Amino acid sequence: MTAPISESWTRIENWLAEHAPATYAALAPPADPADIAAVERVIGRPLLKPLVMSLLRHDGLLNQRDALLPGFYKPMSAHEIATAWQLLTRFYDKREADEIGEEADYDFMKRGFSSVLYGHPQLIPIARDLGGGHLVLDHRPEIDRGRVHEAEAVEGIKRVSHELWTTLPVLMEAIATSLETSQSLNGYTPVVDQEQRLCWDIAPLRSDQPLHRS
């Protein structure tokens, strides 16, 4: 059974405080519930509970230098989520999506990507990288509800098959376990740089290699 997102946050916080204090210090305070309500008004629907619980723990990160999530993604604040949603949904072509209909969902499930779904108003951005890509949380009332996808302008929405993207609680629990064990997570290995910040190396970490970079 997947742990509640609050438990995973506690494990992540404890690890960061001991091993990567600079990243720990970059964790933002809890979001104001009024800011979360404002996001819900902007997007026109309630946010899924795991996302709300995560925002109530940390309202994103305080700077652009830290990437808490594998793939160099930075969790966004409630305000950043609303802003990114307004930007991304400008690219959504509802008429094209309606014309393609169920074929878009079929291609997405079978091929693993869809340009038609890029900017879909029920795919809520929750994290971003420095290159402009996002992680989005699927709020659609279908089979992928609660799943985390990658979104970028060229390929559109990418449905990553690795199980860690199944839900936000699964992702956060997997991150906590990867930090505690130094084990690779979907090709990314946690390390700590000389500035005591968490980084994710693409190359797997050898068993005889120390956690901290020299």
Side-chain angles (χ1 to χ4, degrees):
M1 181 179 295
T2 304
I5 203 165
S6 58
E7 292 185 13
S8 296
W9 263 121
T10 296
R11 294 168 60 193
I12 292 170
E13 291 164 354
N14 290 342
W15 188 92
L16 291 175
E18 181 177 357
H19 299 285
T23 299
Y24 178 76
L27 296 174
D32 187 326
D35 290 337
I36 296 175
V39 175
E40 294 178 330
R41 287 194 297 272
V42 168
I43 68 175
R45 59 186 46 83
L47 296 175
L48 291 179
K49 184 177 179 180
L51 177 54
V52 172
M53 298 305 295
S54 185
L55 289 169
L56 289 175
R57 192 65 173 253
H58 295 290
D59 194 23
L61 295 179
L62 297 175
N63 60 57
Q64 301 294 327
R65 299 183 62 189
D66 293 273
L68 185 66
L69 311 179
F72 314 108
Y73 287 105
K74 169 186 175 292
M76 296 192 301
S77 67
H79 176 73
E80 289 171 331
I81 288 173
T83 300
W85 181 88
Q86 291 174 314
L87 173 63
L88 291 176
T89 52
R90 295 175 186 172
F91 295 96
Y92 184 63
D93 190 333
K94 187 177 185 304
R95 183 169 60 180
E96 180 184 7
D98 289 342
E99 289 176 354
I100 295 177
E102 295 182 358
E103 292 183 19
D105 288 330
Y106 177 83
D107 288 346
F108 184 56
M109 297 295 291
K110 296 299 182 181
R111 301 172 63 188
F113 63 91
S114 172
S115 60
V116 177
L117 292 176
Y118 187 74
H120 191 290
Q122 294 186 59
L123 299 180
I124 311 301
I126 60 172
R128 66 184 178 194
D129 64 20
L130 293 178
H134 290 83
L135 293 181
V136 295
L137 186 63
D138 202 327
H139 282 61
R140 297 175 301 161
E142 287 103 15
I143 190 171
D144 267 349
R145 184 173 177 82
R147 191 176 183 90
V148 180
H149 309 301
E150 291 185 319
E152 57 96 22
V154 176
E155 293 191 15
I157 303 299
K158 297 169 62 179
R159 188 181 191 274
V160 186
S161 60
H162 195 284
E163 64 181 10
L164 74 90
W165 305 108
T166 305
T167 66
L168 187 57
V170 168
L171 173 61
M172 297 303 289
E173 184 177 31
I175 291 172
T177 299
S178 179
L179 295 178
E180 293 169 347
T181 63
S182 299
Q183 296 300 307
S184 176
L185 182 60
N186 196 28
Y188 293 93
T189 302
V191 295
V192 178
D193 67 14
Q194 294 180 343
E195 296 182 346
Q196 297 184 312
R197 298 181 184 277
L198 170 65
C199 303
W200 293 90
D201 272 357
I202 297 178
L205 190 67
R206 299 194 311 269
S207 59
D208 60 343
Q209 187 176 353
L211 177 67
H212 293 264
R213 289 174 171 171
S214 59

